[in-house]
Amino acid sequence: MMVFIRAWIFLILYSARRQLRSRKVFIAGGLLALTAGLVALMALRRGMTPEFFGEWVVVRLFGLFIFPLLMLIFGAGALADDRDEGTLVYLITRPLARWGIYLGKFLSVLPAAALFGIGGFWLLCQAGRLSDPEELQGIFERFAAAFLFAAPAYLALFHFFAAAFRHSMLISVTYVFFVEVFIGNVPGILKRVSIHFYTSSMVYEAGEAIGVQPPSRIIFQPLEGDLARWVLLGIALGFLLLGSWWFNGYEERERGV
Amino acid sequence: MNGLPPISVRSVSKWYGQVIGLCEVDLELAPGITGLLGPNGAGKSTLLKLITGQLRPSLGEVRVFGKPVWRSASARRRIGFAPEVDSFHEEMPGLTFVTTMARLSGLTRRQARRQAAEAVARVGMSAHAHKPMRACSKGMRQRIKIAQALAHDPPVLILDEPLAGIDPPGRLELLDLFRRLRDGGKTLVISSHILEEIEACTEQIVLMAQGRVLVSGTVRSIRDLMDDHPLTVRILCARGRELARELVQLPAVLGVSLARGADENGGESELTVKVHGPEAFFRRFPRLVLEKGFEVKAFEPLDASIAAIFDYLITGSRSRT
Amino acid sequence: MKLDACAYRPWRGRLRSPIWRFWPIARSGLSLMFKRKIFWFFLLIGLLNFLFYFAVIYTLTRLKAEFALQGRKLPEFVQRFLFTETGDSYRQFIYAQNIVLMLMLAFCGALLIGNDFRFHAVAFYLSKPITRLHYFLGKLLAITALAALITLLPALALFIEYGVFTDSIEYWMDHSRLLFAILGYGALVSLAPAVVLMGVSAWFRRTIPIIAAWAGLFLFLPYVGSTLRNFFRKTGGGDPWGWSLLDFWANLRWISSVLFGAQLDRYEERWPWAALVVGAWMALAVWVFWRRVGKTEVVL
């Protein structure tokens, strides 16, 4: 048993190291640097109010676009990298259960996702505070929880895509655009299929005290923060279980894009 | 390992949608080297993927030391697999790659380092062990693939086209390594398209075609089974015309040809004899030689090599379908 | 043994001019894409919008005829509905395809170019008697043709449809400029991203970085542009339209104002800047592609 646990722990550690050394880090870093520069520019030129920061930077720029894209880069890449390189064969012929590989790969992306997702958000908050640090005092602590809960949900979803589809990256981008960006902003309850809706609900609840509100409560109709938290946890757990079950029957057939 | 066969394939079929990859395969492989031969599309890769637990059998079961390999991680612990596909973590040095694979097999850091270094040395890659994979030649990459299969010291080694891309001296080295591994009690399954490679290291072969195992066993035993296939024998002796006359009297002999110009100056002649039913011929021929006092310098079946058997069986299997 | 005896025969057909050497590359690229299910999926999504517009045109023309019979005019809001016979409608249709086009091209880039670099297939091409230019043109033609399948061709089909549902050929005669505008904008929307895609794919090579960079370029930059533009408009007054130059699609749309002669777009006078930005992106992509192909080792 020790042999298998040792192999599994090593899988997590070595995969995490590979994630942090991959070219994706440059893409994610570039994306964050550009966004932080953008926020800094806005802050320095015109100043930054908590309302504007909450709605434009936290909900729209970071929550709707940057954060899902960062999670996609790491979440879909954990398994897809090995599939893409053709090295998955070395993993599945080792003494590791398939579900163990799936879970291990999921855990291995958490450090990179936390570094770029949560760390990236911290960076944006610092950039926003450049003009007047007092104005956005405690802004990171206020909203970080929403992204902490959203991260596993996004990662589990994209990780599942990577296990289920050969062109997982493309499917994931399609998902981000059509479901998160498009459906996530239509009126009615359809938007509840998007993860962004629950993240935004948490953000709006946390930001209520500083005046961060949805542009129209009638159209957006946010959930209570607690409920949104549970839904995000449910999504993460649900997709992890579904993916583990799915990957348990994974057969290595052929390579190719 | 408690007398259990290293590899046991029981009534295994595998199909991909409507396409049959493997059909009703039964095999039991003992320790030693087994050569897996067959043309492209014969089902060799499917069989190897089933043995290494990459594919789940549609029907039947594959066991390694008694454990079903698809479900059992501990069965996979006993397998070392060198895939045909040329994929690596390109930025990693060879030794690091092998060490990583050893650790993924459950070895401790110290064990993995030691055994990986040993494995790399065994395949003759010590001098290039720190070269990134992307800078390695095809032959070096092939050796690293074999090293990663060896690193955790598994009792079963599955090597898919292990000698592809390796230069002739390297081939000899690796064939020697395979023989040493066999002598150390390991079970090796080597798939190859190059018949001479297999012939050079094993007598035990499995011939596949069209998703089926045509035949398995030693080269000689397979040859013996093929009584309906004429065998050609080359005989070098003095008094060749006389021997030819005697040979055509034998019921097992279909025809004899004598090299032109031989015998005329009292030298040796070369006879090529076509035989039907080799077993009977091999029983009768020594008696004939002793009774008539022929001096035979060489006696050599010309087409008992794997190549001849392979050609014959594959052609036969095609004409039967 | 003579070669003839081995069933070898010299080529007895007519060889085409060397300039056509890009054609087999384009053709094989197209056939490769058509064999992929996911390509058909994107094509289908791209054509959903076309079907919607097709149905709207049909309904509008029927309504128009019904109302004419009753001696009434269509209500103003219907006439100004999503799709009418004006140039702006066709332009809007082509513009609306940009997301599906972006996704489809991401796949094309990874498959047709990224894979060539990754699996060293470029060397196979260049070991034939073709130059970098043939390779570039062949791949570009394949990608442009695929892009045209969901932009240029459906827009042309809509133009034809509109004419067919009228009583004479007057619609086509009166709006002949639209035909050229559709051809021009359709070709631009198909060609310009295809050129940029070639640079991105040649640079990143592997599927995941290609798609990430591509999405960043065509989703992130427009988003940044619109955020900055909105921010400065709200906080400083005026319209800092320059930020929208970050949006590749908006640039193409601005350029198309010239082709359509549309007056509806408030920013049409800014098309030279847009053309400059698009040209710069394309030049950069060609440079990257050229350098990457130049680094390919061909051992003859």
Side-chain angles (χ1 to χ4, degrees), chain C residues 225-239:
Chain C
S226 72
T227 304
L228 283 169
R229 190 171 160 186
N230 283 329
F231 175 77
F232 288 116
R233 186 158 48 192
K234 277 187 180 175
T235 54
D239 184 8

Side-chain angles (χ1 to χ4, degrees), chain A residues 3 6-7 10 14 18 82 85-87 89-96 98 250-253 255, chain B residues 14 49 53-56 70 73 76-77 85 87-89 91 100-101 103-106 108 145 148:
Chain A
V3 167
R6 219 166 26 222
F10 180 74
Y14 124 93
R18 280 183 59 75
D82 281 294
E85 281 181 349
T87 50
V89 60
Y90 293 112
L91 286 184
I92 62 171
T93 51
R94 302 285 141 188
L96 291 160
R98 292 231 188 343
Y250 173 79
E251 296 183 71
E252 176 77 357
R253 289 188 181 179
R255 280 185 71 194
Chain B
K14 177 72 193 172
K49 283 183 175 184
Q54 295 176 66
L55 293 177
R56 175 178 20 201
W70 168 257
R76 290 199 293 275
R77 169 108 171 82
V85 60
S87 302
F88 296 93
H89 299 313
E91 75 290 350
T100 302
M101 293 303 132
R103 293 213 67 191
L104 283 171
S105 300
T108 62
K145 246 194 274 177
Q148 64 78 32

